[in-house]
Each structure stands twice: as C-alpha cells, then as structure tokens.
Amino acid sequence: MPKIKLAEKTITQIKEVCAKFNHEEGELINVLHQVQGRLGYLPAEVQEVIARELNMSVAKVYGVVTFYSFFTMLPQGEFPISICMGTACYVRGAEQVLSEFKRQLKIEVGETSADGKFSLSSLRCVGACGLAPVVTVGEKVYGRVSPQQVSKIIAEYQEGCPAESKSA
C-alpha cells in the first residue's frame, strides 16, 4: 500500500480526539472509533499519529485495528455493507446473501464499487442472532435477509439516501 501524506487539518483532528480522551492508552478503542468516524478509515499513517499521541507502540495500535472487524485500514464506500457470517446467520443462509451482494455489486469482500457508493465486508457476529441472517448498511440493521431482498436493499441507497429518510 502506498504511503499517504496526512493534511495538517487531519493531524489536528486526530490530536483533538486523543486530547478528548486525555491521551490515555486505555482509551485506544474509543479513540480509534471516533477517528474512524471522522475520517472513514484508519490507514497506517493515522495509526502512527494515534500511537504518538497515546504514547504507545504503533504495533499495539495496529494489533487492535486488525483484531476488531469494525475497524478498517481501507477507504470504505459511502454505504458500507456488512454481512454477518456468525454461526446463526451462516446456517440461515448468510453465504447466499453475501453471494448475491457480490453478484449485484460486482465486487468481492473487502472491495469498493467503482462508483464509490458501496463497500462489502463480512463480520464474525453482530450480536443480533435472533434476526439471522443479518446485514448492516452503515448503522442500519436489516434482519432475516434473503437473497431476494438484496436488490431492494441496494436500491434504497442507489440515489444516495435510504428510502425511510425520504419525505412522504
């Protein structure tokens, strides 16, 4: 992966988040969550700034980023789609749902669509086993998803906003 040069504004934002948590090492996950919320992802250069600000090794920051599936080191689409592949979701058809998203979006897991709208990932478990199989698009959770519903879910976001947030 090529190295990126962070803008001063970005570095300042990262430092502000670290300061909000008093530069405490124990707040690493909260810092990562907020920084990713602002920037969209956590490339190595961002992790280096966080490590410096929290006075910890880059290796430790990287270890946390790569351990938790919520964090990403790659830019995400405007609408990140995640399919739960936990046991309950898997046995109820998550693999077929994932295949249908891949087919319709013409991307693989870990990729972003050519128009930058959608990125696709699979998660170990989202903790909503009673709704299996589960798909999330950003913060919105879809339960009991079948492959036949995939096109409807994608269509909600094709114009840039979910159907439920449009005026009636």
Side-chain angles (χ1 to χ4, degrees), residues 96-129:
Q96 291 79 19
V97 171
L98 176 59
S99 292
E100 188 61 18
F101 271 106
K102 288 168 31 176
R103 187 185 73 74
Q104 289 194 30
L105 295 173
K106 296 176 178 56
I107 59 175
E108 293 296 317
V109 170
E111 294 180 347
T112 300
S113 60
D115 62 4
K117 277 201 180 273
F118 301 100
S119 53
L120 191 59
S121 66
S122 61
L123 304 174
R124 290 184 203 104
C125 183
V126 297
C129 302

Side-chain angles (χ1 to χ4, degrees), residues 10-11 29 43 48 52 60 72 75 89 116-117 122-123 134 157:
T10 302
I11 294 170
I29 291 176
E48 290 167 9
R52 255 194 328 272
K60 187 166 188 177
T72 181
C89 289
K117 277 201 180 273
S122 61
L123 304 174
V134 173
Y157 297 89

Side-chain angles (χ1 to χ4, degrees), residues 40-113:
Y41 69 119
L42 300 166
E45 296 77 8
V46 167
Q47 294 176 50
E48 290 167 9
V49 175
I50 292 170
R52 255 194 328 272
E53 290 297 307
L54 300 184
N55 196 28
M56 62 194 317
S57 73
V58 176
K60 187 166 188 177
V61 175
Y62 176 81
V64 171
V65 169
T66 57
F67 179 79
Y68 292 102
S69 60
F70 173 80
F71 298 123
T72 181
M73 293 175 58
L74 301 171
Q76 298 295 294
E78 183 181 354
F79 303 108
I81 299 171
S82 299
I83 291 82
C84 179
M85 297 300 278
T87 304
C89 289
Y90 190 84
V91 299
R92 291 189 180 137
E95 189 171 29
Q96 291 79 19
V97 171
L98 176 59
S99 292
E100 188 61 18
F101 271 106
K102 288 168 31 176
R103 187 185 73 74
Q104 289 194 30
L105 295 173
K106 296 176 178 56
I107 59 175
E108 293 296 317
V109 170
E111 294 180 347
T112 300
S113 60

